[in-house]
């Protein structure tokens, strides 16, 4: 996509649950990780622009496995990811997804560096 002759990388924040095989006790209490992922696509490549995660107890009755806007930990790691992306040149776009964490960002596209060009610098 171009705007005034520029090509852009676009980034979408989404979430997923991860299980890393961790047992917190002999009773088999599972630890899950709520992870916010910033998946980016552009004219040169698709990549993971950033991620942030927070532990969630997997065997607690009533626990929610969806990011909660009223959970300070969820909001803080989401904001940490947004801050990290913005330091890396990403800018928030005004449109939002249907969920509070679904944000879109963009930055000028960065050409993919080949291994050959990297080796030539040495």
């Amino acid at each position: 996509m171009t705007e005034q002759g520029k090509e852009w990388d676009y980034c979408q924040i989404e979430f997923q649950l991860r299980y890393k095989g961790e047992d917190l006790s002999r009773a088999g209490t599972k630890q899950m990780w709520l992870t916010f992922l910033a998946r980016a696509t552009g004219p040169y490549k698709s990549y993971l622009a950033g991620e942030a995660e927070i532990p969630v107890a997997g065997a607690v009755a009533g626990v929610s496995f969806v990011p909660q806007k009223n959970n300070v930990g969820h909001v803080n790691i989401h904001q940490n990811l947004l801050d990290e992306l913005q330091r890396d040149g990403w800018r928030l776009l005004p449109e939002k997804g249907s969920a509070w964490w679904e944000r879109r960002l963009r930055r000028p596209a960065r050409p993919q560096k080949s291994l050959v060009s990297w080796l030539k610098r040495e």
Side-chain angles (χ1 to χ4, degrees):
M1 297 186 149
T2 63
E3 181 180 299
Q4 298 174 352
K6 282 191 174 183
E7 291 183 317
W8 300 95
D9 284 349
Y10 288 89
C11 176
Q12 173 78 34
I13 296 180
E14 54 193 51
F15 94 97
Q16 74 176 28
L17 285 175
R18 287 185 182 160
Y19 174 60
K20 299 178 182 179
E22 301 163 323
D23 287 333
L24 300 178
S25 69
R26 291 181 187 210
T29 304
K30 306 284 189 242
Q31 177 129 12
M32 304 292 289
W33 294 86
L34 187 146
T35 307
F36 289 108
L37 302 167
R39 297 193 190 277
T41 59
Y44 304 109
K45 59 185 172 181
S46 295
Y47 56 98
L48 185 63
E51 67 179 76
E53 64 185 8
I54 188 169
V56 177
V60 175
V63 71
S64 175
F65 294 112
V66 176
Q68 301 296 309
K69 180 101 174 137
N70 63 349
N71 183 312
V72 175
H74 296 180
V75 172
N76 285 344
I77 65 160
H78 182 267
Q79 187 61 51
N80 289 347
L81 177 58
L82 281 174
D83 292 345
E84 176 187 325
L85 292 167
Q86 289 175 325
R87 281 191 299 274
D88 198 29
W90 292 95
R91 297 293 167 247
L92 276 171
L93 294 172
E95 68 265 11
K96 297 179 181 180
S98 59
W100 68 268
W101 66 84
E102 294 175 341
R103 299 301 310 265
R104 284 183 41 91
L105 303 96
R106 77 173 184 184
R107 71 175 178 195
R110 297 180 179 176
Q112 186 171 2
K113 296 177 183 172
S114 71
L115 182 57
V116 173
S117 66
W118 182 77
L119 291 173
K120 285 182 179 178
R121 280 192 260 153
E122 304 231 347

